[in-house]
Amino acid sequence: MKHEFPHVADGNVVYVRRVAMDSLPDEVRQQAPGLESLYAVHGIDGERLALVRDRQLAFFLARQNELTPVSVH
């Protein structure tokens, strides 16, 4: 599953973090019924590049795009 990320600088590091559903806009929550959280992939500048259903998928997506994922708590 290749996803085109915007240009990511600084060694291609991206950050993966859990995001509570109640902190997301209504249109995002409506697309993920029944979930308590999603996982966000962020660029080094903090820009959110993707939202996915679980941590494993976030890491897989980053690696498929030749990025180095780092977990953020």
Side-chain angles (χ1 to χ4, degrees), residues 35-57:
L35 296 178
E36 294 180 16
S37 64
L38 294 175
Y39 282 79
V41 178
H42 290 271
I44 196 90
D45 62 357
E47 178 184 2
R48 184 183 298 157
L49 304 173
L51 280 172
V52 296
R53 71 178 175 266
D54 60 47
R55 184 178 179 275
Q56 182 178 6
L57 182 57

